[in-house]
Amino acid sequence: MGISQSLRDNPRLDRWLCFEPDRTVRVATGKVEFGQGILTALAQIAAEELDVRIDQVRILSGDSVEGPGEGYTASSWSVEHSGSAIRAVSAEVRAIALARAALRLNAAPEELSVREGEFIRDGAATGLDYWHVAPDIDLSVEANGTVAPKPVTEHRIVGRAIPRLDLAAKLTGSGFIQDIDMPGTLHARTLRQPGRGATLLRLDEDAIRRAAGDGVQIVRRANFVAFAGDDETAVRRAAAVAATAAVWDKPRRLRPEQASPAWIAAQPSHDRGIGDPMPESDGGRVSMRFSRPFLSHGSIAPSCALALWKDEVLSIWSHAQGMHPLRTNIAATLGLPIDSVVCRHVQGAGCYGHNGADDAALDAALVALELPGRPIRLCWSREEEFGYEPLSSAMTVEVHAGLGPDGRPGGWTTEIWSAAHGQRPGVGSAYLLGAEALETPPPERKPFDIPEERGGGATRNAIPLYDIAAKGIDFHLVHDVPVRTSSLRGLGATLNVFAIEGLMDELSARASEDPLAYRLSLLTDPRARAVLEKVGDMARWSERAPGGTGRGLGLGLARYKNSSAYAAVAAAVEVEDAVRVTDVWCAVDAGLVINPDGLVNQVEGNIVQAISWTLIEEVRFGEDGVASLDWQTYPVIRFRDIPDIRVALVDASEHDPLGVGECAGGPAAAAIGNAVAHALGTRITDMPLTRERIIEALMRGG
């Protein structure tokens, strides 16, 4: 078993694990929970290797002082990286403790086993447990990775559907940062600077105080403005009035057309080729162009953070996805020694990807520094979240296949026009939003996207999984876009898989072959074949009716990042003047499954979100900025529109666990796109698949 990157970065055993006086085991992780069930899965891994009960494990997640630094919780790496580290550390600590117990019992280590933390000899309790020997063992040493974890055949906790550890608090109204109300809290809201370079010329503070009351304090630092007070309602009134009581010079101006993928594709770009060039082809070349608009995270609750500046220590509670990066970014932005900043994670409702969470943390910190000694609870408004969070870039993808005499591709190029998908604070040119409003804003620099060796950003999943001799990418990275763009679930994979699988369907039609059989003829990867064949059985693909009837059945396949979990999806749709997804089937190979129920939940959620992206979601711009600022102008899928979803896990427990959180999004979008094409007899290549595009496609199809 190799040592994961997380363990190489944090090699000391005590950074991950310690035995607590209350006879629990504290297991620390740098990864954080945002609904994916990771805390439960990591607790299962630790309990399995240590031979303790799940309720004897206490997870410490996202603590910049006491826990390991593992960067951001992103890219479906939590089980692969943090889980692998915890597995190795737990196995090693168990071996160390067992050896120590053997000395005290005058026994060979092989004579002992562990049951619920107690050492067992000849089937009987010895009266000695982990907590007895803990003072005698040194966990400040570095992991050596030489202790093999348990074989799968001995697992008794891993592989079971353990109930989620985080749900009880959420069901009783205390699980999210938005629920926290510390004694002495001041509530706070901001007046958002309307774009980098906008200067506050005037602010009618009297009008704000008349509307809100005298209890509201106005915090100003350069072009950063916030309101704080004991009464949250009064503070909200102050922020609402401030929007009309402020006069700005050079606010950001947008044009509606700048929101379109076509506008992005027409901008100057930094171009590079990746992989193989397209070879000459005997059977001709087929190309198709696909697009999708800017997407919002659509976080159910707006971003929120708490901050306290006391005794020269700035404490921050945030639902951002990386507490160590947040600590570094906050300290650098505010010019504080890093040791004086402490960041701790608290779960946020509907938070995922790079939304406004990091920025809200800086906002709270700025207010806390001006009002020391009292906790500051700063919440963004709904309009602020939609209007100022980083968006997922609009994209255009053109897929080109060079065909052989047999109608199968011998060469493939995926050509992409997109802004960057990975501009998290502290990475490359990115910074926290509030920094733009301070006395010395950070310098503007050209963004870069996530490199391919880390999964890629816009290029994610742009290389098809199929057996094609030459596969490459032409990537046009657009630097100058008028809004911030960054990470949203799946990054560029959603449109890339949508496009690749769309062209695969068209190629199968040109070859007069069934789409499933055509795909299988291009696949030798047994794990990819297994999920595809499984979903074909689930959806009764062999009974698929002819197309053009208003009912359709489509397929999509991908291995997320071409390195994580495999997912094949089939979708059934009915199309009249709108698309209704009636059924979705999904087969997943995630390697060793830690918690099957949690895994299925992840896949189901990813499919639901993919339906929403494919059919509904689209950010719009207006003159004053983002124009889709509420749930009416940025609708997402409703519960009534969620179809029956069936997920099957293909047994691959002999393989290491694979990241699964984003594996089904691209295949689900592709399956819906192909099902709609089957239903209509003509294809819609631009997302979302709206009523207007259905009519346009039908008119085009004659």
Side-chain angles (χ1 to χ4, degrees):
M1 178 180 177
I3 292 181
S4 73
Q5 185 61 50
S6 289
L7 192 50
R8 284 195 289 272
D9 293 341
N10 306 272
R12 278 179 51 153
L13 296 173
D14 59 0
R15 198 65 175 163
W16 297 90
L17 193 150
C18 70
F19 297 99
E20 297 281 28
D22 63 356
R23 308 187 79 72
T24 61
V25 186
R26 194 198 71 179
V27 175
T29 174
K31 303 300 183 184
V32 300
E33 179 74 55
F34 42 92
Q36 75 276 42
I38 189 60
L39 301 187
T40 307
L42 296 180
Q44 286 182 252
I45 292 170
E48 184 67 73
E49 295 300 331
L50 288 165
D51 282 314
V52 297
R53 298 188 312 273
I54 192 84
D55 63 359
Q56 291 176 287
V57 177
R58 183 169 65 84
I59 295 286
L60 175 69
S61 167
D63 188 304
S64 71
V65 176
E66 298 185 57
E70 294 188 86
Y72 290 102
T73 306
S75 201
S76 300
W77 271 329
S78 295
V79 165
E80 288 187 40
H81 289 185
S82 199
S84 177
I86 288 171
R87 192 181 187 200
V89 167
S90 299
E92 193 162 331
V93 170
R94 179 186 185 278
I96 293 170
L98 197 73
R100 186 64 195 178
L103 282 176
R104 289 179 60 166
L105 294 168
N106 194 26
E110 294 77 19
E111 296 178 54
L112 302 181
S113 60
V114 183
R115 183 174 61 208
E116 298 183 356
E118 187 172 11
F119 299 104
I120 306 297
R121 185 180 190 182
D122 297 329
T126 61
L128 206 62
D129 60 25
Y130 282 135
W131 296 271
H132 287 115
V133 303
D136 301 333
I137 60 178
D138 181 11
L139 298 184
S140 67
V141 299
E142 295 189 359
N144 57 40
T146 59
V147 178
K150 281 184 182 177
V152 173
T153 52
E154 295 182 14
H155 283 174
R156 57 187 180 83
I157 298 176
V158 164
R160 289 177 51 200
I162 301 290
R164 288 262 298 273
L165 303 179
D166 56 312
L167 288 186
K170 291 172 180 173
L171 292 172
T172 54
S174 61
F176 296 119
I177 193 168
Q178 287 87 356
D179 302 319
I180 295 178
D181 187 8
M182 296 179 180
T185 291
L186 289 174
H187 301 277
R189 297 265 172 161
T190 65
L191 170 63
R192 198 86 263 158
Q193 181 192 28
R196 182 187 175 95
T199 303
L200 183 60
L201 298 178
R202 292 188 299 279
L203 181 66
D204 188 343
E205 298 189 4
D206 290 339
I208 294 170
R209 290 196 171 91
R210 282 197 301 274
D214 292 336
V216 172
Q217 302 180 64
I218 300 176
V219 174
R220 290 186 61 171
R221 179 173 168 183
N223 293 300
F224 175 83
V225 182
F227 312 96
D230 294 299
D231 184 344
E232 185 176 12
T233 302
V235 171
R236 292 177 66 169
R237 280 201 302 268
V241 171
T244 57
V247 178
W248 295 90
D249 183 38
K250 298 179 180 177
R252 177 179 65 174
R253 298 297 183 196
L254 299 181
R255 303 190 306 276
E257 65 269 23
Q258 291 176 308
S260 73
W263 186 90
I264 295 291
Q267 301 312 301
S269 59
H270 173 74
D271 303 331
R272 63 188 175 98
I274 302 164
D276 305 316
M278 176 71 83
E280 295 294 326
S281 54
D282 298 330
R285 177 166 165 165
V286 180
S287 299
M288 294 185 70
R289 194 176 179 97
F290 299 80
S291 75
R292 52 153 257 200
F294 284 98
L295 293 176
S296 167
H297 292 82
S299 297
I300 298 301
S303 295
C304 178
L306 288 94
L308 172 64
W309 175 241
K310 184 177 181 181
D311 299 331
E312 300 301 311
V313 174
L314 179 61
S315 299
I316 295 172
W317 295 263
S318 167
H319 55 104
Q321 290 187 278
M323 290 302 102
H324 286 76
L326 181 64
R327 180 195 199 193
T328 301
N329 294 324
I330 293 278
T333 302
L334 300 178
L336 294 172
I338 194 164
D339 290 341
S340 67
V341 180
V342 177
C343 293
R344 294 191 169 93
H345 183 261
V346 184
Q347 295 179 51
C351 177
Y352 70 98
H354 179 194
N355 66 350
D358 298 84
D359 302 315
L362 175 61
D363 293 345
L366 286 165
V367 178
L369 290 176
E370 298 297 321
L371 303 173
R374 294 187 67 177
I376 304 299
R377 177 182 176 274
L378 186 140
C379 282
W380 279 19
S381 66
R382 168 55 56 199
E383 294 76 15
E384 202 173 1
E385 188 75 40
F386 271 125
Y388 289 94
E389 65 143 3
L391 303 175
S392 181
S393 177
M395 294 176 64
T396 296
V397 171
E398 193 161 317
V399 277
H400 312 276
L403 301 181
D406 60 352
R408 281 160 173 72
W412 187 288
T413 299
T414 303
E415 190 170 10
I416 302 167
W417 292 263
S418 175
H421 285 255
Q423 296 194 79
R424 291 180 184 273
V427 178
S429 61
Y431 46 81
L432 296 163
L433 179 61
E436 292 181 339
L438 301 182
E439 297 82 0
T440 307
E444 288 189 276
R445 286 177 290 182
K446 295 295 184 187
F448 64 86
D449 212 3
I450 299 170
E452 282 65 46
E453 60 268 23
R454 292 187 60 80
T459 60
R460 184 162 294 186
N461 275 102
I463 296 291
L465 197 56
Y466 300 100
D467 301 335
I468 300 171
K471 296 185 278 191
I473 303 170
D474 283 345
F475 181 27
H476 309 284
L477 175 60
V478 178
H479 287 143
D480 297 318
V481 292
V483 294
R484 288 193 301 165
T485 61
S486 194
S487 301
L488 185 150
R489 197 175 192 180
L491 285 69
T494 306
L495 184 63
N496 290 328
V497 176
F498 184 81
I500 290 169
E501 292 295 286
L503 182 55
M504 291 303 295
D505 255 29
E506 295 298 321
L507 295 180
S508 70
R510 286 171 64 96
S512 300
E513 294 186 26
D514 172 79
L516 174 58
Y518 184 85
R519 284 172 169 80
L520 288 171
S521 74
L522 290 167
L523 276 174
T524 53
D525 183 337
R527 299 176 74 176
R529 291 182 63 88
V531 294
L532 195 54
E533 290 170 339
K534 178 66 177 178
V535 86
D537 292 341
M538 294 168 70
R540 303 171 71 173
W541 183 267
S542 60
E543 300 174 17
R544 185 182 187 233
T549 64
R551 292 173 179 262
L553 183 63
L555 282 174
L557 168 71
R559 183 182 189 187
Y560 187 56
K561 297 181 291 182
N562 288 356
S563 62
S564 291
Y566 297 79
V569 176
V573 302
E574 295 177 353
V575 186
E576 294 181 351
D577 58 347
V579 177
R580 187 170 80 88
V581 180
T582 61
D583 297 90
V584 176
W585 302 267
C586 180
V588 175
D589 172 352
L592 176 64
V593 174
I594 308 303
N595 186 320
D597 186 54
L599 193 156
V600 169
N601 292 164
Q602 278 280 77
V603 172
E604 289 173 340
N606 201 188
I607 290 170
V608 169
Q609 193 165 28
I611 297 171
S612 190
W613 293 331
T614 308
L615 302 183
I616 302 171
E617 297 187 35
E618 181 173 10
V619 171
R620 299 182 187 278
F621 293 171
E623 181 180 343
D624 296 330
V626 172
S628 42
L629 296 175
D630 54 33
W631 299 117
Q632 283 70 46
T633 50
Y634 192 88
V636 297
I637 190 169
R638 303 295 184 94
F639 282 111
R640 66 178 181 233
D641 297 321
I642 295 175
D644 287 337
I645 300 173
R646 302 169 186 86
V647 179
L649 306 182
V650 175
D651 182 18
S653 56
E654 70 274 23
H655 298 286
D656 288 338
L658 297 173
V660 74
E662 297 154 285
C663 71
I672 295 167
N674 286 333
V676 171
H678 182 227
L680 296 178
T682 185
R683 182 171 296 277
I684 303 172
T685 57
D686 301 310
M687 297 166 66
L689 311 184
T690 60
R691 177 176 309 184
E692 293 74 18
R693 286 181 171 138
I694 293 170
I695 295 171
E696 182 184 333
L698 289 173
M699 293 180 67
R700 187 179 63 242

